[in-house]
Amino acid sequence: MQEKEMELLERLTANEQRAKSNTHRLDKMEPIVNEIHTMSNTMVQLVEEIKHTNETVSSLDEKVERMDSRVDIMERAPAEDLKAYRRTAAASIISAIAGAAAAGILAMAVNFI
């Protein structure tokens, strides 16, 4: 019986030593686990901020595209105006020449009669 008690005592002592060792190991791991938890929360926040940033960039891209189309229209406007001025000038010159020719023919016809 004493042999069993000694064996149990040795096993109990080994268990206590192992428990102390495990406790020390857990005590060392606890700050690491807390830091990992903190880093995980920080990552979640960063992901949310990146999502928000991406949405903002997408919105800005749409606005820039709309502004580009407006700028294109504004850049084309002077060229279109110049074309209209040229047509008007050409029509005016042709009308003036035709009017002068008609007046000249009329004047010749009046002098001839």
Side-chain angles (χ1 to χ4, degrees), residues 14-75:
N15 261 349
E16 285 178 353
Q17 288 175 351
R18 187 175 297 140
K20 285 181 184 178
S21 173
N22 288 342
T23 301
H24 284 313
R25 291 173 70 191
L26 286 173
D27 288 344
K28 287 180 182 178
M29 296 295 286
E30 190 173 345
I32 294 171
V33 169
N34 286 337
E35 185 64 28
I36 289 171
H37 180 70
T38 301
M39 289 174 69
S40 174
N41 286 337
T42 302
M43 289 297 290
V44 168
Q45 290 173 351
L46 285 172
V47 166
E48 288 299 319
E49 288 179 16
I50 288 172
K51 284 180 183 176
H52 178 68
T53 301
N54 286 342
E55 290 170 358
T56 303
V57 167
S58 176
S59 172
L60 287 173
D61 283 344
E62 291 173 6
K63 288 179 182 177
V64 167
E65 287 177 17
R66 279 187 266 141
M67 288 176 66
D68 280 347
S69 66
R70 290 180 186 164
V71 168
D72 288 342
I73 292 169
M74 289 172 29
E75 286 176 343

